[in-house]
Amino acid sequence: MTTLRPAPHSRSQDAWPLPGDAQAVATARATARKALEGLGVDPELVDDAVLMMSEIVTNALLYGDPPYEMAVSADRREIVCGVVDSGPPLPAPRTPGSGDERGRGLHIVAILSEGFYGCHPQRYLTWPDRLGKATWFALPRTPGAA
């Protein structure tokens, strides 16, 4: 009988609690930029990821419930960024009217991530005893390598 060994940990993952007010967006943008630049991610992808992070944090603040946290995980092929909140409704893209000021965030995420985004139940990393929902997106580490 062969003894099973755990797979080597090949994905780095960091999480940060976010404030429960409008400061969360600025905090998430700055934190995501610093984390992704520290991982050596292409500057264009960093800009896209920071924009998408601000969109999903804004959605969490508008439609979710505290506490909020953001997470960035990476391996050699892709980065995955997400926001966890404890609100029950799952985010859904809607079709905004031409005069609407809101409703385009998930469309931006869908386009920039080339469809690699979603939402699912997830435990918080910074509060492991809490269950919430994670809204996330993924990007290849190298532009155009989807």
Side-chain angles (χ1 to χ4, degrees), residues 27-43:
T27 299
R29 289 174 66 93
T31 303
R33 181 170 299 283
K34 184 176 180 181
L36 295 170
E37 287 173 347
L39 291 168
V41 174
D42 180 90

Side-chain angles (χ1 to χ4, degrees), residues 109-118 136 138:
V109 172
I111 291 167
L112 292 177
S113 70
E114 297 181 3
F116 289 94
Y117 74 105
W136 60 272

Side-chain angles (χ1 to χ4, degrees), residues 21-133:
D21 57 23
Q23 280 298 111
V25 177
T27 299
R29 289 174 66 93
T31 303
R33 181 170 299 283
K34 184 176 180 181
L36 295 170
E37 287 173 347
L39 291 168
V41 174
D42 180 90
E44 285 185 38
L45 288 178
V46 171
D47 290 342
D48 287 351
V50 167
L51 173 59
M52 289 188 281
M53 183 62 80
S54 69
E55 294 296 339
I56 62 176
V57 169
T58 298
N59 277 358
L61 291 171
L62 290 173
Y63 308 113
D65 295 318
Y68 308 100
E69 79 174 7
M70 65 171 279
V72 174
S73 66
D75 62 21
R76 63 181 181 80
R77 294 178 1 153
E78 72 177 355
I79 58 169
V80 179
C81 300
V83 175
V84 180
D85 74 80
S86 61
L90 297 178
R94 59 187 181 121
T95 305
S98 61
D100 291 348
E101 292 184 20
R102 294 185 180 162
R104 293 171 180 79
L106 288 179
H107 293 286
I108 292 169
V109 172
I111 291 167
L112 292 177
S113 70
E114 297 181 3
F116 289 94
Y117 74 105
C119 185
H120 61 266
Q122 179 171 308
R123 292 207 177 276
Y124 284 78
L125 297 171
T126 55
W127 296 284
D129 58 327
R130 294 192 72 130
L131 185 62
K133 69 173 184 294

Side-chain angles (χ1 to χ4, degrees), residues 1-33:
M1 183 166 172
T2 305
T3 303
L4 296 177
R5 294 182 299 141
H9 182 60
S10 61
R11 180 175 284 272
S12 68
Q13 184 165 348
D14 293 300
W16 302 266
L18 293 171
D21 57 23
Q23 280 298 111
V25 177
T27 299
R29 289 174 66 93
T31 303
R33 181 170 299 283

